Amino acid sequence: RLDEMDVYSNILYVQDQSMALSQLAHTAMRVDKYRPETCCIVGNYYSLKSLRTKAIQYFQRALKLNPNYTGAWTLMGHEYVELKNTPAAMEAYRQAADISPKDYRAWYGLGQAYEILSMPLYALYYYKKACAVRSYDARMWSAVAGCYLVLGKRREAVLSYERALQDDTEGIATTQLAKLYQEDGMQDEAAQCFIQHLQLRYLATTVHPSGTPTLNDIVQGVVVQATEASALLFLAHYYQNLQKQGTSFLDTAALCASRLLEYPGPEKEEGKAVLREIRSRSSQTVEMNM
């Protein structure tokens, strides 16, 4: 049976499962090498190996067998994008959209193609088409927001990122929206976005977390990469200066800053500076209380 195996091959491709995809391609060729699904599976295998021309040949074979095979048109469009053949990519995506207007990947691909051509207004149009089909996908709304930013429509960009945040399970929109809030002087909102981003990354890398993690759990357990370092640095400064009903949050600030000591970027030195300032402030408080 090869039904839906092309969809399974897409999953293996996204997961970078080269060995499993190779085995699936060999099995499909043995079962029926003249099925369009088989050609698509083999095309995905060659794509994962970055053999673009070979992948396109197999997607074209699939389309000879079934000219209305939307997935093959879309995947071939992706290959042409990688080859920087934007006109061919756009033609492939248009064919897919004409055959299946409900296929968000075709609309999204057209949006990306127009972005490559530095035509944000056209890109926005197609990204909105993708959103209409797949309104729960944070990637679609983030793409819309990015176009609005390029077009100088900041308010619309913020609203689009806020919409993306409702379904963002990967931290796609969190840091972008946080930066916009930060630039607009909305520090509390920016802090919440950065915390949400760290929580998402913490949950993605923690095996079977028990219960709802506290902020301390998140800060201590998150893997610190570039975006996480930026978030931790902002939160270190934010909590360093935060006072609510006479309560100080210097311990939280120190925890955020201390995680930056593990990171090799410039944030490490800034984290050290925050810790020095916290120690100095704590010493002054002790002296005043003596």
Side-chain angles (χ1 to χ4, degrees):
R1 280 177 54 86
L2 291 174
D3 296 341
E4 307 299 330
M5 285 297 101
D6 53 334
V7 177
Y8 179 51
S9 77
N10 291 337
I11 295 171
L12 294 177
Y13 179 92
V14 171
Q15 294 178 343
D16 200 23
Q17 297 286 329
S18 177
M19 184 65 70
L21 187 51
S22 173
Q23 292 172 349
L24 179 62
H26 280 97
T27 300
M29 289 291 284
R30 284 199 304 270
V31 173
D32 188 348
K33 66 180 179 180
Y34 296 110
R35 281 279 293 271
E37 291 88 350
T38 297
C39 295
C40 229
I41 293 167
V42 176
N44 271 336
Y45 170 74
Y46 281 121
S47 176
L48 192 58
K49 292 293 185 181
S50 297
L51 299 171
R52 307 298 176 189
T53 304
K54 198 79 172 174
I56 288 171
Q57 288 176 357
Y58 274 91
F59 294 138
Q60 288 173 335
R61 288 184 189 180
L63 290 167
K64 285 181 180 178
L65 295 166
N66 180 5
N68 292 324
Y69 191 177
T70 310
W73 282 114
T74 304
L75 292 170
M76 190 163 66
H78 296 343
E79 297 307 309
Y80 280 127
V81 167
E82 293 296 330
L83 290 174
K84 296 181 170 51
N85 188 344
T86 307
M90 293 170 71
E91 178 58 28
Y93 290 138
R94 287 189 194 283
Q95 290 284 352
D98 288 343
I99 295 167
S100 180
K102 294 294 184 182
D103 186 349
Y104 78 95
R105 297 172 301 173
W107 299 121
Y108 187 71
L110 279 167
Q112 287 182 310
Y114 276 108
E115 268 201 294
I116 292 170
L117 295 175
S118 299
M119 301 173 72
L121 199 58
Y122 285 93
L124 177 62
Y125 172 80
Y126 288 109
Y127 283 144
K128 282 185 173 180
K129 285 271 196 180
C131 279
V133 176
R134 196 176 173 88
S135 60
Y136 56 87
D137 194 325
R139 292 174 301 164
M140 307 299 114
W141 288 105
S142 293
V144 167
C147 287
Y148 275 131
L149 279 178
V150 173
L151 292 167
K153 297 186 176 182
R154 188 182 183 86
R155 179 57 185 159
E156 288 85 349
V158 169
L159 290 173
S160 298
Y161 277 130
E162 287 175 343
R163 176 61 185 82
L165 213 61
Q166 297 177 23
D167 302 293
D168 193 357
T169 59
E170 300 176 25
I172 295 168
T174 45
T175 54
Q176 295 298 326
L177 183 56
K179 289 173 184 175
L180 291 178
Y181 281 148
Q182 189 178 354
E183 291 169 4
D184 291 341
M186 302 169 66
Q187 303 302 306
D188 292 342
E189 289 82 357
Q192 289 306 309
C193 280
F194 278 129
I195 290 170
Q196 182 173 342
H197 174 79
L198 293 177
Q199 181 175 4
L200 289 171
R201 300 316 306 151
Y202 169 79
L203 293 174
T205 55
T206 303
V207 181
H208 306 305
S210 57
T212 303
T214 64
L215 179 57
N216 281 7
D217 293 333
I218 294 167
V219 172
Q220 289 174 333
V222 72
V223 176
V224 181
Q225 296 179 339
T227 52
E228 290 72 43
S230 296
L232 287 167
L233 182 60
F234 173 87
L235 291 172
H237 286 299
Y238 174 77
Y239 284 113
Q240 182 184 7
N241 299 313
L242 184 63
Q243 290 280 342
K244 282 189 178 180
Q245 298 177 343
T247 301
S248 172
F249 292 85
L250 291 180
D251 287 346
T252 304
L255 179 59
C256 292
S258 67
R259 286 304 316 276
L260 294 172
L261 302 183
E262 309 165 19
Y263 187 70
E267 292 85 356
K268 179 176 183 177
E269 295 305 316
E270 295 187 61
K272 288 180 180 179
V274 171
L275 288 170
R276 284 195 297 269
E277 174 63 27
I278 290 173
R279 281 195 293 268
S280 174
R281 193 183 301 183
S282 298
S283 299
Q284 292 173 5
T285 302
V286 170
E287 290 174 2
M288 290 173 61
N289 293 331
M290 289 179 64

